Amino acid sequence: MTIPVAVRGAVRGRLDALYRITSSLSFRIVLLFAGFLMLSGALAILLSGLQSQHSLEKQIRRAVRAERTEVISAAGGMDLAHFRPVVQNLVRHEPDFFYLLEDGANRVLAGNMLHLRPQPGSRWLSRAHRQLYGEPESAIYGEGVLLNDGGYFFVGLNARSLTELRRDFWIIVGWSLVGFSVLGVGGGMILSTIILGRIETISVTARRIMSGDMAQRIPYQGADDEFDHLAHSLNAMLERNERLISSLQQVSNDIAHDMRRPLSRLRRRLEAAALAERLPDAARDTIEDALGDLDAALETFSSLLRLSQIEAEISTGTCARVSLDDLTRRITDLYGPVAEDRGQVLIVPGPVPGTVAGDPVLLMQMLSNLVENAINHTPAGSRISLDGRLADGRILLVVADDGPGIPPDARERVFQRFVRLDASRSVPGSGLGLSLVRAIVRLHGGTISLSDNRPGLRCTIILPDDAAAGDSPRSPAA
């Protein structure tokens, strides 16, 4: 019999879901809590019940032993003649006890029981035919005595209370297990929710910090427990890291700011020197090369300062509603000829919907950097696309190419300052382009991610769609 593929897929999906549930920390917490609660509850009830049964059994034994002693004392002799009138009298006046008096031939002479095999000492009787009347299902505990003339005397007590106690005990154990199971699962779920909630709070804070919000801190619950201690330690570490990062950024910003002015003066002097009439051609070429290097250094410093301003949420001061369709059209007009000169194709499959409330200069720089990177890092014959769509009130903007792409383990690292992969060393650049792009995206409340375009690289930017907002455009930093 062949199982259809759809059925196999459904079964596999259910098994995977079951495995995910059973392997989750929440499930293990619920299982452990319920298991320990059931075990401890069952153990407590078991010990209590057994102790109660033991106490009741001791009471029954003491009562039978006392009755046997009284009968022997009342008889005044250890033979049938002395015991017979006493037993006959007790049968009439002590209905709670069972009595039996047999002669040496095992004939019943007196009592309210059937024949018994003569056996001295204590014994339990559970056979119903040993009782003349009463509850046939009740057990009897009694003690027998062999008389001097071969007779046998037995006195016993109905142990119905002990039987009922044992029956009720097992009923209580069964219902208690059900109750402890419900309480254990419920308590485990509450405990799991509390613990995992605290862990999720730490995880959410960590994700926000990883997305660039270094000011995030783990909230305290005020319980002064292990989680608060952990939050205190992690927050102290985060504050120290933030100070170190800020210090490093401030140093690089100060260097960039202080170096721009002398480099600019040096450029003007080199330009003046290049204009000298009697300057040898070799010296002129050297000056031109030096000017090119100076321009690259000035561009790096300008990018670094611009990046710092954006990360400090300082825009160019212009805020407007920017149509992404107009923006992509301008990008296509600007970089389409450049891509064509390199033997590449830059296409926009269709109108890009959505409007972003933000800085038009920065948004233009964001797309320019991405398209320029795609042009510079893909070979001739590559196809570069710029597309977008709306989804759940957000704009998904995608810049994709079919070039060599970026390895998965480097897709987050390339957003860091001055990071350049080995494959891109031969391409001009400062290693600040993608850092600027991510800073601009965050300034406008969006996210950016890199993925495999199979083949090539896919850069996805998600921005809030401002088309449904009010009449006044919001500041990107708001």
Side-chain angles (χ1 to χ4, degrees):
M1 179 179 177
T2 304
I3 301 176
V5 176
V7 175
R8 290 202 303 269
V11 172
R12 189 179 299 109
R14 290 180 182 277
L15 291 177
D16 291 343
L18 181 63
Y19 174 76
R20 286 195 296 273
I21 292 175
T22 54
S23 61
S24 65
L25 179 59
S26 175
F27 179 81
R28 291 198 292 271
I29 291 176
V30 171
L31 192 65
L32 286 175
F33 187 84
F36 279 116
L37 186 63
M38 289 177 61
L39 184 62
S40 58
L43 187 60
I45 291 177
L46 190 64
L47 293 176
S48 175
L50 292 177
Q51 178 62 29
S52 298
Q53 293 179 36
H54 181 67
S55 298
L56 183 56
E57 186 176 333
K58 286 175 64 178
Q59 292 179 9
I60 293 173
R61 289 177 183 272
R62 281 199 298 268
V64 170
R65 190 170 297 112
E67 183 66 13
R68 185 201 64 177
T69 303
E70 287 185 7
V71 171
I72 293 174
S73 176
M78 295 298 291
D79 54 38
L80 292 172
H82 287 86
F83 268 79
R84 189 166 186 171
V86 174
V87 173
Q88 289 174 339
N89 182 56
L90 289 173
V91 169
R92 289 194 296 271
H93 298 93
E94 294 289 343
D96 293 335
F97 284 91
F98 291 91
Y99 302 96
L100 176 65
L101 183 65
E102 297 178 344
D103 59 12
N106 294 336
R107 288 176 302 198
V108 177
L109 302 179
N112 52 7
M113 300 181 65
L114 297 176
H115 158 71
L116 285 179
R117 180 172 53 84
Q119 177 181 328
S122 61
R123 62 196 295 189
W124 284 93
L125 300 177
S126 58
R127 298 172 61 182
H129 73 277
R130 296 305 179 195
Q131 305 176 32
L132 287 174
Y133 54 85
E135 300 178 17
E137 298 300 330
S138 299
I140 295 175
Y141 172 78
E143 294 188 4
V145 179
L146 293 175
L147 303 180
N148 295 334
D149 55 359
Y152 177 68
F153 169 69
F154 177 86
V155 58
L157 184 63
N158 192 329
R160 182 181 65 252
S161 57
L162 182 60
T163 304
E164 291 176 350
L165 179 62
R166 288 173 175 168
R167 183 193 60 198
D168 294 343
F169 167 71
W170 290 114
I171 293 176
I172 292 174
V173 169
W175 281 109
S176 298
L177 288 177
V178 175
F180 281 125
S181 300
V182 174
L183 290 175
V185 172
M189 292 178 69
I190 294 174
L191 182 64
S192 172
T193 302
I194 294 173
I195 294 176
L196 296 184
R198 301 289 298 273
I199 295 176
E200 179 61 20
T201 301
I202 297 175
S203 178
V204 168
T205 304
R207 286 197 293 270
R208 288 175 179 171
I209 293 173
M210 289 175 62
S211 64
D213 188 358
M214 298 297 294
Q216 285 289 326
R217 294 294 181 268
I218 301 170
Y220 297 107
Q221 299 295 323
D224 195 27
D225 55 9
E226 288 76 5
F227 279 104
D228 273 356
H229 298 167
L230 176 63
H232 177 76
S233 300
L234 292 176
N235 285 340
M237 181 186 69
L238 291 172
E239 288 174 3
R240 182 176 182 182
N241 289 343
E242 185 182 14
R243 286 197 299 270
L244 290 174
I245 294 173
S246 298
S247 176
L248 290 173
Q249 289 181 343
Q250 186 61 42
V251 168
S252 60
N253 295 340
D254 291 345
I255 292 174
H257 183 270
D258 294 342
M259 290 298 293
R260 285 189 66 191
R261 185 169 297 174
L263 288 177
S264 297
R265 288 198 299 268
L266 176 60
R267 191 182 194 288
R268 288 195 296 272
R269 290 172 182 170
L270 288 174
E271 286 177 337
L275 295 176
E277 295 181 355
R278 297 180 180 179
L279 188 68
D281 292 340
R284 193 182 305 278
D285 293 340
T286 301
I287 292 175
E288 292 295 335
D289 292 341
L291 285 172
D293 293 339
L294 271 177
D295 288 340
L298 286 171
E299 178 62 24
T300 298
F301 290 145
S302 297
S303 299
L304 197 57
L305 289 174
R306 191 72 192 116
L307 178 60
S308 299
Q309 291 173 342
I310 295 172
E311 289 178 342
E313 299 185 350
I314 301 173
S315 66
T316 61
T318 304
C319 184
R321 284 181 177 162
V322 180
S323 167
L324 288 183
D325 193 43
D326 294 340
L327 196 63
T328 53
R329 196 178 302 116
R330 290 166 56 195
I331 290 292
T332 307
D333 294 341
L334 181 62
Y335 287 98
V338 178
E340 187 176 351
D341 290 343
R342 295 171 61 96
Q344 300 163 328
V345 178
L346 175 61
I347 63 169
V348 179
V352 177
T355 303
V356 177
D359 191 320
V361 176
L362 294 180
L363 291 172
M364 183 69 180
Q365 184 174 2
M366 174 187 76
L367 283 184
S368 297
N369 283 11
L370 291 177
V371 172
E372 197 172 311
N373 272 354
I375 292 174
N376 290 336
H377 295 282
T378 55
S382 299
R383 182 176 182 273
I384 302 166
S385 64
L386 181 56
D387 196 7
R389 62 184 174 86
L390 294 177
D392 300 329
R394 300 179 302 173
I395 305 169
L396 271 67
L397 197 59
V398 176
V399 179
D401 62 63
D402 55 359
I406 295 178
D409 58 346
R411 288 173 190 161
E412 180 62 27
R413 192 160 53 90
V414 293
F415 286 109
Q416 299 174 7
R417 295 183 179 193
F418 301 113
V419 171
R420 303 191 67 192
L421 302 181
D422 292 338
S424 62
R425 294 288 179 188
S426 59
V427 179
S430 61
L432 293 171
L434 287 177
S435 300
L436 274 170
V437 170
R438 185 163 71 172
I440 294 171
V441 171
R442 287 176 175 172
L443 182 67
H444 290 81
T447 60
I448 183 172
S449 61
L450 300 179
S451 58
D452 194 349
N453 196 42
R454 302 177 186 278
L457 182 67
R458 171 181 290 262
C459 178
T460 303
I461 296 175
I462 300 177
L463 293 169
D465 181 22
D466 197 60
D471 294 335
S472 300
R474 295 169 299 175
S475 170

